[in-house]
Amino acid sequence: MNSYPDLYASAEERAVPLSALVELTNACNVDCEHCYLDLLPDHRIGALSTEEWKQIFRELAAEGCLFLTLSGGEILIRRDWYELAAYARKLGFALRLYTNGTLIDDDVADRIAELTPVAVEISLHGATAETQDAITRRPGSFERTARGVSRLRAREVAVVLKCVLMRRNAHEFASLRRLAREWGAEILFDVEVTPKNDGSYGPVALTMDDATFAGVVAEVERDRGDCAHSRHFDRAARLADAPCAAGRRTCHIGPTGDLSPCTQWTTPLGNLRRQRFRELWFGNGTLRRIRATRTGDLAGCHDCAVLEVCNPCMALSLLENGNLDGPSPTKCRTATARAAAMGVPGNAAGSTVSARLVQIRMPPR
Amino acid sequence: MLDERWRFRRDKLAWRIIGDEGVVLDLRSNHIYFLNRTAAALWEHLGDGATREGLADELHRWFGPSAGHALDDVAAWLEALERADLLEPATDPVAAEQPAAPALFGESYVAPEVSKQDVAFFSALGCGKTSPTTFECTRALRDS
C-alpha cells in the first residue's frame, strides 16, 4: 500500500473493517422530528457497559479497524464517553464524534481537543433558532449548539456541521452555508429523510416537495463540484462495482452490541455480547452475500438509466421494500433529481423504473 | 540518537497494521503515511519507546540482515519519521512486555520504508448516513 485508494482496495479485498460506526447510546437530550432512531434510555435497552465497549474496540483494532465514529443518540450523555473515547485513541483509532453540540461546555471542549479527533460532526438543522429549535423540539438548542461549535473552533477542533434538508429548513440552505463559513466549519447536506429504523414512515412526511427537492439537489450538486466519487459515468464500471462499502469494509454496532453492515441496516447480523466480532464478521452468511454482490446484481437497479448517478442502498431497499435488490424509493428520488441537475439522461417516460417510481414515491404512512 | 529512546506521537497520530503493512494518520496535518512490512513490524515497538540499536537488533533477528546494515536502515527510517515529526523522545520506563515478533518472521528482508500522501478529509459524497464514507471522497483519490 502506498496510496489512499490502495488502502481501500486492500481493505475491501480482505474484508478488513476499516471503518466502524458505534452507537454508544440511543438516549438523546433533543428529539429531532426526523430522527430514525427510537430514543430510549440506556437502562431500558440494556446498553453495553464501559468494559464491554472496550472489549469490542480491542476486537475491532485487532481486525484492522482504523476509523472509529462514536455516535448516538447523544454520546455526551454517557458518563463514560471520555473514558471510551480516550481508550479508543490509546488503541490507535482515528476518531470522529457525532453530537448535537448542546452539551459542549468548556470542560467537554477541552477533553474533545485532547482526543485530537479527525472531526466532530454536529447536527445543525437550521440557520435560525426558530427553525433549529422547532426541529429538535428543544427550545434553546440552537444557541447551545452554536456555543458548542464556538468552543470547539476556539480549540482548533475540526467541526463538520451536518444538516438534513427538509420542508421546514430547505429555505435556509444558503444561510446554513454562510453560517458554516462564519463558524469556520464544513457543512454536509443530506437531502434524504429515511423511514425510522423500526420501519415506520413518520419522518418521510417531512421530506421536501418535489420542486424544492429538485432545486436543492441541484444546489448540492453545484457545491459538490468535481467530486468524482459521486459521479459514476462509466456504466460498465458502475455495474461491476460494489454498491457501497457496508459490510465490506465498514460496519455498525448498536448500543446493545448488535452488529450490522451499516447504520441503516435494521436487521442485526448478530450480537457482540454473544459472539466475537471476528466470528460474526467472517462467518455471517448475509455478510458473505453482501460482499459477493455487485451493483449489476441488483435486479431492481441494474437497468435503470440513472444508475450512474445513484448510490444504490441495499439497507434502505431492505427497509423500504423488504428485499436487498432495490430499488429504494428514497434513492430513486435522489438519483432522478441528481440526473436532472447534472444533465444525465433519465429514464424514459413509461419505462419500468419510471413506473416504479410513480408507484413508490409516496410510501405508506 | 543511538542510545536515545523514541516513540511515536500517540496523542497526535492514528495507526493500524493491516495485513503486514501499516497506515499512520497524522491528525494534525491530514497526512497519511504508509509503512511497508518491515516498517510496520518495527512500528509496534515504537509505541512504548525503542532505541535505534534495539530496533536494529530486532531487524537482524527477524530478517537476518547484517547488524551494520540493519542499523543503517533503521537510522534512515527513524530520520524519515523524525523529519515528518512523528516521533518524540520516550521518557517513561521501558515496558515490561515488548510486542511479539511479527508474523512474517524469517521472510526475505526489505528495508523499512515510509511513504506519504496528503488527503482531503472533509468532503461530501454519496452516502451521508455513515461517516466513514466521508473519507472516500474522490477529492482524496484525485489528489493521489
Side-chain angles (χ1 to χ4, degrees):
Chain A
M1 290 185 295
N2 55 24
S3 73
Y4 220 54
D6 281 356
L7 172 63
Y8 281 114
S10 173
E12 189 142 333
E13 188 183 333
R14 305 175 202 202
V16 172
L18 194 61
S19 306
L21 185 147
V22 301
E23 279 172 0
L24 296 181
T25 179
N26 272 0
C28 193
N29 63 327
V30 298
D31 183 24
C32 295
E33 56 185 359
H34 61 285
C35 185
Y36 59 90
L37 291 173
D38 279 327
L39 302 172
L40 297 169
D42 289 346
H43 68 273
R44 288 264 304 276
I45 60 171
L48 296 175
S49 67
T50 310
E51 293 310 313
E52 286 174 318
W53 273 121
K54 287 182 178 177
Q55 168 67 27
I56 289 171
F57 291 175
R58 287 193 294 272
E59 291 182 39
L60 286 170
E63 296 305 329
C65 183
L66 173 61
F67 301 112
L68 184 69
T69 300
L70 304 184
S71 179
E74 171 50 52
I75 56 169
L76 300 178
I77 279 184
R78 268 193 79 123
R79 289 184 182 173
D80 58 358
W81 76 267
Y82 180 76
E83 181 179 351
L84 288 172
Y87 187 75
R89 285 289 296 118
K90 191 178 160 195
L91 293 175
F93 285 104
L95 277 188
R96 277 177 179 262
L97 308 178
Y98 281 10
T99 171
N100 59 45
T102 59
L103 300 175
I104 299 176
D105 58 18
D106 283 320
D107 178 54
V108 169
D110 285 341
R111 285 171 167 242
I112 289 175
E114 279 171 25
L115 295 166
T116 325
V118 169
V120 178
E121 301 202 1
I122 295 183
S123 307
L124 182 74
H125 301 303
T128 61
E130 184 187 3
T131 303
Q132 167 85 347
D133 294 359
I135 291 172
T136 62
R137 297 186 277 209
R138 288 291 182 274
S141 65
F142 178 83
E143 289 303 326
R144 291 172 66 98
T145 296
R147 285 198 294 270
V149 172
S150 168
R151 288 177 176 121
L152 291 177
R153 292 303 299 132
R155 290 159 178 81
E156 298 184 343
V157 174
V159 172
V160 179
L161 303 172
K162 294 192 307 184
C163 177
V164 178
L165 289 169
M166 301 171 281
R167 283 177 193 271
R168 200 193 284 275
N169 62 359
H171 65 285
E172 292 184 358
F173 178 57
S175 312
L176 280 158
R177 284 195 297 192
R178 273 198 302 276
L179 198 61
R181 274 198 299 275
E182 284 169 21
W183 289 358
E186 298 275 340
I187 187 161
L188 296 177
F189 293 102
D190 187 350
V191 295
E192 294 170 356
V193 185
T194 56
K196 288 175 83 78
N197 279 4
D198 66 6
S200 61
Y201 272 86
V204 178
L206 305 169
T207 195
M208 293 172 270
D209 63 68
D210 286 348
T212 310
F213 186 81
V216 164
V217 168
E219 281 291 309
V220 170
E221 287 308 320
R222 271 194 287 278
D223 260 10
R224 222 188 278 266
D226 58 353
C227 176
H229 184 77
S230 57
R231 301 178 179 204
H232 300 274
F233 288 120
D234 182 343
R235 187 175 182 86
R238 187 75 186 103
L239 289 167
D241 267 357
C244 69
R248 293 177 168 83
R249 51 186 161 80
T250 73
C251 68
H252 168 267
I253 302 169
T256 60
D258 285 342
L259 175 70
S260 311
C262 72
T263 310
Q264 211 77 57
W265 200 285
T266 54
T267 310
L269 307 173
N271 188 278
L272 296 174
R273 269 188 173 128
R274 293 185 284 278
Q275 282 178 279
R276 291 284 172 238
F277 178 85
R278 184 177 181 77
E279 187 185 339
L280 262 175
W281 183 251
F282 290 108
N284 182 271
T286 302
L287 283 174
R288 280 200 297 272
R289 182 182 166 195
I290 289 171
R291 287 172 199 147
T293 301
R294 294 292 171 264
T295 305
D297 299 327
L298 302 177
C301 300
H302 68 80
D303 61 348
C304 177
V306 296
L307 181 62
E308 288 94 325
V309 295
C310 185
N311 296 288
C313 178
M314 289 192 287
L316 269 179
S317 177
L318 186 63
L319 183 61
E320 295 171 336
N321 283 344
N323 68 66
L324 296 177
D325 296 331
S328 144
T330 299
K331 290 295 176 187
C332 290
R333 189 182 193 220
T334 306
T336 302
R338 289 186 70 200
M342 295 160 73
V344 175
N347 292 296
S351 74
T352 309
V353 175
S354 295
R356 194 183 292 125
L357 270 171
V358 170
Q359 288 166 17
I360 61 185
R361 179 160 291 156
M362 296 306 289
R365 300 198 177 113
Chain B
M1 192 172 176
L2 190 65
D3 298 325
E4 284 174 293
R5 285 175 60 239
W6 296 87
R7 67 178 181 193
F8 58 78
R9 294 185 181 277
R10 278 184 173 275
D11 58 336
K12 303 300 177 198
L13 306 177
W15 65 93
R16 194 63 72 225
I17 307 301
I18 297 173
D20 57 9
E21 297 176 289
V23 185
V24 179
L25 300 183
D26 186 336
L27 300 170
R28 300 162 296 185
S29 62
N30 287 1
H31 293 150
I32 184 166
Y33 296 87
F34 297 94
L35 307 175
N36 71 357
R37 61 184 168 90
T38 309
L42 293 174
W43 182 260
E44 293 287 347
H45 287 252
L46 280 174
D48 290 315
T51 63
R52 188 176 73 168
E53 202 162 44
L55 292 174
D57 283 349
E58 298 287 22
L59 268 198
H60 174 63
R61 193 162 59 84
W62 296 337
F63 304 113
S66 71
H69 186 175
L71 199 60
D72 288 346
D73 286 351
V74 167
W77 182 63
L78 286 179
E79 273 171 29
L81 296 182
E82 214 190 347
R83 272 199 306 276
D85 195 26
L86 304 184
L87 298 181
E88 62 187 0
T91 52
D92 40 353
V94 178
E97 215 173 299
Q98 282 292 305
L104 41 81
F105 183 84
E107 285 196 16
S108 61
Y109 177 68
V110 291
E113 281 181 2
V114 57
S115 57
K116 182 180 124 179
Q117 187 184 20
D118 297 343
V119 175
F121 279 120
F122 308 121
S123 306
L125 52 99
C127 176
K129 301 293 181 196
T130 314
S131 79
T133 52
T134 307
F135 285 89
E136 296 171 34
C137 175
T138 356
R139 253 168 64 186
L141 305 184
R142 190 194 60 206
D143 294 344
S144 65

